[in-house]
Amino acid sequence: MVYQRIKDNIEVLVDFATKREPGKQRSDYLNLLKHDLAMYYGYNTFLVEKLMDIFPMSELIDFLESNEVQRPVTIRTNTLKTRRRDLAQALINRGVNLDPLGKWSKVGLVIFDSSVPIGATPEYLAGHYMLQGASSFLPVMALAPQENEKVLDMSCAPGGKTSYIAQLMKNTGIILANDASAERLKSVVGNLHRLGVTNSVVCNYDGRQFPKVMGGFDRVLLDAPCSGTGVISKDPAVKTSKDEKDILRCAHLQKELIVSAIDSLDASSETGGYLVYCTCSIMVEENEWVVDYALKKRNVKLVQTGLDFGKEGFTRFKERRFHPSLKLTRRFYPHTHNMDGFFVAKFKKFSNTIPKMNTESENIPAEEEKTDLSEKASSVTSGENFKKDKNAVSTSSENQKKKISVKGKSMKNTARVKDIKSVSAKKKETKEKPKKGKLVKNKLKKFRMQKARSKAPQSAGTV
């Protein structure tokens, strides 16, 4: 019932204008379809939403159905020790049913069924072939290493791609096989010894710090760690274990790795200067987003991968817009190419100088918000600084005015004090030195008073 309802909903959504029920909106059909897909195929709602954004409705069911089927077993002929024709004949004699992988590969074989374990035949133990997925052939073919070159495989475990590079270089030059996990390097060493690779050096460094260790490589291969959404048929736990935080965490690590991989390249190399970036994921955040970031941060450009098949990468996805040259990248899906989901991009480095950091947006909403906020903050702070400067100027001018006024007032006050002192001194002088007319009047008054007293009759008893 659920599967039938999924098919009916997809039919309606493909031709929504004519087949929809009256009163129902497109969002109602999408919500029901999302719920049914998550329940029927066992995915969490986050992954279902992501897949619905990547694939059209007619292609979505094919992708989900292909993830329920195991990919065919493929092996790669080790031309350092044998030829594909001789290996195929030897395996057929042991009861193995096989066919050539395709026109695009000269060393691949597809195993349909076998009466003996493929990983324990005498040919396997002698190093005549390597068990390797068909999608893992693609990045080495895109890298196209030449003889006597200096090549770096930044994330090499378990060694399939490294041995394929040595095979194409015919054991000449030097290959630096690096991986961050010391435990996984054990399988790399074992496979390189078994396959007869003699031009490789195995090392254990964090890829993000690798330019400090060694540089000047002609070619670099970066098979970046990812969420694994392209290999769900091998690891069904991805259906429910991945969420948005996991995707963004992987994308952040991939950006750091791709920048250090570019810094390890030598742009002045006569034969190389190429980087191949690949993931076993179909998420845009881990593929086109990372490639577009590298194009902005370093002096690199995208070139043709040399792969004749595969779908073009996205130049626009929802609200994001990427560089137009991302059409040169290639996407591979299990329902169209019968191999694991894969992404391949090839860069050419044209300058060893590191460009100055730009404050432009990087198609990352969170970073856009940060830059916008920083710009706003800077403008606010500049405005505040301007106000502060203005206030400082005004306060200084006011202080100067106050000083001038205070000086003026003090000058006036001193003048007034001088005037008051002079006036008081004059008054004292006038008090101390009375006029001559007043002295005469006073003498006349005293004389008259004495006359009056002498003329008045004296009373009895007075002497």
Side-chain angles (χ1 to χ4, degrees):
M1 286 174 60
V2 173
Y3 185 72
Q4 188 60 41
R5 190 165 61 198
I6 289 170
K7 293 184 73 175
D8 295 341
N9 280 338
I10 288 177
E11 286 181 6
V12 173
L13 289 168
V14 169
D15 191 6
F16 186 71
T18 58
K19 293 186 178 180
R20 68 168 182 159
E21 295 181 14
K24 279 193 174 185
Q25 297 181 353
R26 191 178 184 87
S27 60
D28 299 331
Y29 286 98
L30 286 172
N31 290 331
L32 180 60
L33 178 63
K34 191 190 306 177
H35 177 267
D36 289 343
L37 289 173
M39 181 172 61
Y40 187 78
Y41 290 101
Y43 288 77
N44 58 18
T45 53
F46 167 75
L47 269 183
V48 172
E49 288 177 0
K50 285 290 185 184
L51 295 176
M52 289 174 72
D53 291 335
I54 293 172
F55 296 105
M57 288 299 164
S58 57
E59 200 175 345
L60 179 61
I61 297 299
D62 295 335
F63 174 78
L64 294 173
E65 288 288 344
S66 65
N67 285 335
E68 303 301 313
V69 182
Q70 292 291 325
R71 302 275 77 75
V73 177
T74 56
I75 61 174
R76 175 181 54 81
T77 308
N78 181 20
T79 55
L80 294 174
K81 291 191 172 183
T82 186
R83 294 184 300 174
R84 184 169 71 167
R85 182 186 302 173
D86 299 335
L87 175 64
Q89 189 61 48
L91 292 176
I92 289 170
N93 294 337
R94 295 190 183 280
V96 180
N97 185 12
L98 53 83
D99 266 338
L101 179 57
K103 293 180 180 179
W104 55 272
S105 175
K106 297 180 179 179
V107 293
L109 292 169
V110 183
I111 309 296
F112 296 109
D113 55 12
S114 174
S115 57
V116 294
I118 295 298
T121 61
E123 286 78 14
Y124 176 82
L125 298 174
H128 289 187
Y129 65 89
M130 175 77 179
L131 278 166
Q132 191 171 354
S135 57
S136 296
F137 291 27
L138 304 174
V140 180
M141 294 172 63
L143 187 67
Q146 305 298 314
E147 295 182 24
N148 298 310
E149 281 189 336
K150 186 179 173 184
V151 181
L152 168 65
D153 189 355
M154 190 169 276
S155 183
C156 66
K161 299 182 184 68
T162 306
S163 58
Y164 193 8
I165 293 170
Q167 173 179 319
L168 293 176
M169 294 172 66
K170 298 179 181 177
N171 262 341
T172 61
I174 182 171
I175 303 171
L176 210 64
N178 177 70
D179 201 273
S181 173
E183 286 295 321
R184 298 186 70 194
L185 284 175
K186 295 177 182 178
S187 61
V188 176
V189 174
N191 282 322
L192 294 181
H193 280 298
R194 181 176 60 83
L195 295 167
V197 176
T198 58
N199 65 341
S200 297
V201 178
V202 179
C203 58
N204 177 27
Y205 287 103
D206 186 352
R208 293 171 289 184
Q209 306 297 327
F210 205 85
K212 298 177 183 177
V213 179
M214 193 174 181
F217 290 96
D218 297 310
R219 296 172 197 259
V220 177
L221 174 63
L222 175 59
D223 185 6
C226 62
S227 59
T229 51
V231 290
I232 295 176
S233 59
K234 291 181 181 177
D235 185 11
V238 176
K239 293 180 180 180
T240 55
S241 63
K242 301 299 178 184
D243 58 5
E244 190 171 8
K245 289 182 181 178
D246 295 321
I247 303 297
L248 294 177
R249 193 182 299 114
C250 288
H252 180 71
L253 174 62
Q254 288 155 0
K255 287 174 186 174
E256 292 179 328
L257 287 171
I258 196 170
V259 168
S260 65
I262 294 170
D263 292 341
S264 300
L265 273 175
D266 183 14
S268 59
S269 171
E270 295 180 358
T271 59
Y274 292 102
L275 163 69
V276 170
Y277 171 81
C278 60
T279 65
C280 53
S281 173
I282 60 169
M283 293 294 158
V284 176
E285 289 83 356
E286 299 180 78
N287 298 326
E288 285 87 354
W289 195 353
V290 177
V291 171
D292 192 65
Y293 174 84
L295 291 173
K296 291 178 178 179
K297 293 296 180 184
R298 293 294 184 270
N299 291 319
V300 292
K301 62 180 180 180
L302 287 170
V303 295
Q304 293 283 352
T305 58
L307 304 173
D308 299 332
F309 63 108
K311 293 192 174 183
E312 293 180 351
F314 293 109
T315 55
R316 51 188 298 170
F317 181 75
K318 296 177 73 174
E319 74 278 0
R320 298 191 182 93
R321 300 293 178 269
F322 303 117
H323 196 274
S325 63
L326 265 93
K327 287 183 178 180
L328 299 174
T329 62
R330 287 291 177 266
R331 281 176 162 266
F332 302 92
Y333 298 122
H335 62 283
T336 54
H337 306 105
N338 198 20
M339 62 178 68
D340 295 328
F342 220 72
F343 175 83
V344 179
K346 187 175 183 179
F347 295 89
K348 168 69 174 174
K349 187 175 182 181
F350 55 85
S351 175
N352 287 323
T353 58
I354 298 175
K356 293 181 180 179
M357 301 297 288
N358 295 324
T359 56
E360 298 176 357
S361 62
E362 297 169 359
N363 290 322
I364 305 171
E367 294 188 4
E368 285 177 359
E369 291 175 5
K370 287 179 183 178
T371 53
D372 293 339
L373 289 172
S374 63
E375 287 174 1
K376 289 179 182 178
S378 62
S379 62
V380 170
T381 52
S382 62
E384 289 177 354
N385 293 330
F386 176 75
K387 289 179 181 178
K388 287 179 181 178
D389 296 337
K390 193 175 180 182
N391 292 331
V393 171
S394 60
T395 51
S396 62
S397 60
E398 287 176 2
N399 291 331
Q400 288 177 358
K401 287 179 182 178
K402 285 180 181 179
K403 287 179 182 178
I404 292 167
S405 61
V406 168
K407 286 181 181 178
K409 286 180 181 179
S410 62
M411 294 288 286
K412 287 178 183 178
N413 291 333
T414 52
R416 285 178 185 175
V417 169
K418 286 180 180 179
D419 293 337
I420 291 165
K421 286 181 179 179
S422 62
V423 170
S424 61
K426 286 179 182 178
K427 284 183 180 179
K428 285 181 180 178
E429 287 176 0
T430 53
K431 284 180 181 178
E432 291 174 357
K433 295 179 180 179
K435 293 181 180 179
K436 292 180 180 180
K438 286 184 179 181
L439 291 170
V440 172
K441 285 180 180 179
N442 291 332
K443 287 180 179 180
L444 285 170
K445 279 183 181 180
K446 287 180 180 180
F447 180 73
R448 286 171 185 171
M449 288 291 287
Q450 286 176 0
K451 268 190 173 182
R453 285 175 184 174
S454 64
K455 286 179 180 180
Q458 295 180 352
S459 59
T462 59
V463 179

